[in-house]
Amino acid sequence: MGAMKLNERSVAHYALSNSPADHMGFLRTWGGPGTPPTPSGTGRRCWFVLKGNLLFSFESREGRAPLGLVVLEGCTVELAEAPVPEEFAFAICFDAPGVRPHLLAADGPAAQEAWVKALSRASFGYMRLVVRELESQLHDARQSLALHRHSSWKAIPSRCKPQAPDHLSRGLENGYALSRDCSSIGLAEEGGSRPAGSGLAECELQGPTNLLLGRGQSPVSPETSCFSTLHDWYGQEILKLRQGWLQRARGSQPECEEQDRP
Amino acid sequence: MRYNEKELQALSRQPAELAAELGMRGPKKGSVVKRRLVKLVVNFLFYFRTDEAEPVGALLLEHCRITQEEPSGFSISFIEDPERKYHFECCSEEQCQEWMGALRRASYEFMRRSLIFYRNEIQKMTGKVGMGHGSGRGWLVAWLTLCCPPHRTPWSSSAYRKRPGSS
C-alpha cells in the first residue's frame, strides 16, 4: 500500500498564512526527521505554531515551509520526563495504536504551562462545544428578551429583534458572508453603540435577565479576536463541560466501521 | 513536511459528521471519476477505496472553497490555487446541498468566526438591555464574572502577536 495522500501544499499555505495562531514559541522536540524511536539527547529546537487543532513546527521563526505537523485530535497533554534531566517537558499522547507520544520541552515553567493549556484545548470538538454553548446562551438571552418585550416594556422601543436559531445558523453557513458581517461589526469594543441612556435602565428587569452582565462589566477587549484569549475568558465553566464531554466521547463507540488491515 | 500518518489514520476512524460513497475525481488533468467512500471528520475529508479500511488520502479543509458543479456535484479548491479542484459527484441535489453545507462549516476558522459572532451578538444584547440587574443567578453572569481576570495572560504578551514566516 502506498503512503496516505494529504493536500500538503494547501496545508503548508495555511500554516504560513495570516490566519490566527493560538500559540507559538520555541520548543525542543524529539520527534523530528531521522530521530530514533526512543527519544534521546537534547532534542531539536524548533519554532512551533499552534493554529486550531494543528501544531506546526518550523526550523526557525522565518521558516518558509513547515518541518512537521501534529494533528491534535483525540490526544491528551501530560507533563513528562525528558531523556536528559531537564525541566519543563511535556508530551502529547494519543489513544491510538502505534502512535508514539510527542515529547516536547519548553524553556521555562510559564511557557510549559502555557503550552500544556493551549494544546489541551486545541481540539476541534472542544471548540465546537464552546460555540454550541454560546449559541445556546444567545438563544436563551434572546428568548428572555422577547419575554420581557411582551411584559412590562410595552412603551419602550427595542432595536433588538429576536431571531429564531434556525435563521442564525443558516446565516453562518456561508463563511464569506459571515466575514463581511464580522468586519462591519468589528472585533473591537463597540462602546459607542450602547443605548445606555435610552430609558431602559429604569426598567425593573426580573428573572432571566440576570443572565446579563452586572456592574458594567464588559466581556470584550481588543485582544479577544484570538481564540486563546477568548477561551481564557470563557474559561472555567467550559473546562468542566469539556471534561464531561471528553468522558462521554471516550466511552462512546465510533460510529463507523473499524476493520483490521487485511 | 513530516506528519504522522498513523495519527491521521486513527482520526479517519473517528465518528464522522458525514459519510457516503461519492464519485471523486482528482485535480490533475485527465483524471477519471472513481467511487470513493468519503468521510468528513472534524476539519478533514478522508477518502477510501470502497473495500479498504485505511484511507487513500485526506484533505485539510482550512481555507477551502466549496463550489457547486453541475449536475448534482461540487468541487473543493484551496485559496492558493483556486483552479485546482477536487470534484465530487452526488446521487441527488439534496445530497449535494447537504455535503456542501457540512463542508463549509467544517473548518476551525469557521468555528472561530462563529465564536466571535456569538460573542458580539451577546454583547449587543447586553448593551441594549442596559446594565444588568438581579442577583447574578444566571449562568452566563457567573461564568463571565469568574472568567474575566484582571491580570494579563501569557497570550497577551507582544511576542504572541508575531506572525510565523515572512511575507
Side-chain angles (χ1 to χ4, degrees):
Chain A
M1 287 232 177
M4 194 177 87
K5 296 182 205 172
L6 180 66
N7 55 332
E8 287 190 42
R9 198 165 23 146
S10 304
V11 174
H13 189 268
Y14 173 68
L16 290 165
S17 73
N18 286 336
S19 60
D22 295 293
H23 204 57
M24 55 179 89
F26 284 105
L27 293 171
R28 257 160 308 149
T29 175
W30 282 261
T35 57
T38 308
S40 62
T42 55
R44 180 179 180 180
R45 188 172 162 83
C46 295
W47 177 252
F48 279 82
V49 176
L50 175 64
K51 286 191 178 188
N53 59 350
L54 304 172
L55 180 65
F56 296 100
S57 55
F58 297 83
E59 196 166 43
S60 68
R61 263 193 209 186
E62 296 77 32
R64 298 308 305 270
L67 284 178
L69 164 66
V70 181
V71 179
L72 297 164
E73 293 292 328
C75 64
T76 54
V77 186
E78 300 166 6
L79 301 182
E81 299 210 346
V84 293
E86 65 173 284
E87 299 161 294
F88 321 128
F90 56 96
I92 303 171
C93 306
F94 290 87
D95 186 24
V99 186
R100 286 188 289 120
H102 282 264
L103 185 62
L104 298 162
D107 290 338
Q112 179 191 38
E113 187 186 338
W115 272 107
V116 170
K117 267 180 159 179
L119 293 169
S120 302
R121 298 164 183 175
S123 75
F124 192 89
Y126 177 56
M127 175 56 131
R128 189 157 47 196
L129 183 74
V130 174
V131 171
R132 279 181 187 160
E133 285 306 316
L134 271 186
E135 189 176 11
S136 158
Q137 285 304 308
L138 181 61
H139 176 65
D140 291 347
R142 282 184 164 156
Q143 279 201 325
S144 69
L145 185 66
L147 277 170
H148 281 81
R149 285 186 72 203
H150 288 103
S151 56
S152 59
W153 285 23
K154 295 187 188 76
I156 294 160
S158 167
R159 274 177 282 160
C160 181
K161 303 185 193 78
Q163 294 172 26
D166 283 348
H167 170 83
L168 194 66
S169 15
R170 273 202 295 278
L172 289 173
E173 276 178 30
N174 184 336
Y176 299 103
L178 183 62
S179 304
R180 202 177 57 240
D181 289 343
C182 275
S183 61
S184 65
I185 287 168
L187 294 176
E189 180 72 42
E190 267 197 352
S193 66
R194 290 193 186 182
S198 60
L200 300 172
E202 289 100 54
C203 291
E204 295 285 347
L205 300 175
Q206 307 288 341
T209 51
N210 51 23
L211 281 172
L212 307 164
L213 291 177
R215 294 164 287 284
Q217 277 200 349
S218 166
V220 178
S221 75
E223 287 128 31
T224 53
S225 57
C226 292
F227 175 62
S228 303
T229 318
L230 273 174
H231 169 75
D232 196 56
W233 171 50
Y234 287 121
Q236 297 185 25
E237 193 73 29
I238 293 295
L239 280 173
K240 287 188 200 127
L241 286 164
R242 173 184 173 253
Q243 278 156 17
W245 170 77
L246 275 176
Q247 281 158 14
R248 284 192 295 278
R250 290 218 179 93
S252 66
Q253 296 299 316
E255 288 167 9
C256 295
E257 65 284 356
E258 281 214 48
Q259 299 166 12
D260 293 333
R261 294 186 78 106
Chain B
M1 186 183 67
R2 279 180 61 90
Y3 59 95
N4 191 330
E5 210 170 279
K6 288 196 168 70
E7 274 170 33
L8 281 173
Q9 283 169 352
L11 185 61
S12 76
R13 292 189 281 268
Q14 293 310 305
E17 181 78 20
L18 269 188
E21 190 181 306
L22 302 176
M24 181 178 176
R25 182 160 59 89
K28 289 201 179 101
K29 201 172 171 180
S31 58
V32 295
V33 177
K34 293 170 182 165
R35 300 301 295 172
R36 292 287 182 255
L37 173 62
V38 182
K39 199 168 159 185
L40 174 60
V41 181
V42 296
N43 49 351
F44 282 88
L45 188 68
F46 294 99
Y47 48 100
F48 301 71
R49 288 190 188 91
T50 51
D51 57 349
E52 286 177 6
E54 300 296 353
V56 172
L59 298 175
L60 173 72
L61 296 169
E62 300 294 337
H63 287 182
C64 72
R65 171 171 295 172
I66 314 295
T67 310
Q68 179 138 26
E69 305 281 348
E70 294 305 323
S72 63
F74 62 90
S75 65
I76 302 176
S77 60
F78 297 91
I79 199 174
E80 79 280 357
D81 196 351
E83 292 312 309
R84 192 164 182 273
K85 292 179 172 181
Y86 294 82
H87 290 264
F88 295 86
E89 291 174 359
C90 301
C91 64
S92 68
E93 180 65 26
E94 196 189 336
Q95 186 188 43
C96 182
Q97 292 302 322
E98 187 189 16
W99 273 92
M100 289 176 65
L103 289 167
R104 287 190 176 124
R105 294 189 297 268
S107 70
Y108 205 98
E109 294 304 312
F110 174 81
M111 287 205 296
R112 208 192 287 280
R113 288 193 296 267
S114 306
L115 189 82
I116 292 168
F117 175 80
Y118 287 126
R119 186 253 306 174
N120 279 331
E121 287 296 299
I122 289 171
Q123 185 215 350
K124 283 186 342 190
M125 293 212 47
T126 63
K128 281 178 179 7
V129 189
M131 304 307 195
H133 297 255
S135 55
R137 242 189 313 153
W139 189 71
L140 186 61
V141 173
W143 189 43
L144 290 170
T145 312
L146 199 61
C147 304
C148 204
H151 62 276
R152 307 317 279 156
T153 65
W155 299 284
S156 304
S157 69
S158 58
Y160 173 53
R161 294 196 177 275
K162 292 206 180 95
R163 306 249 183 238
S166 44
S167 50

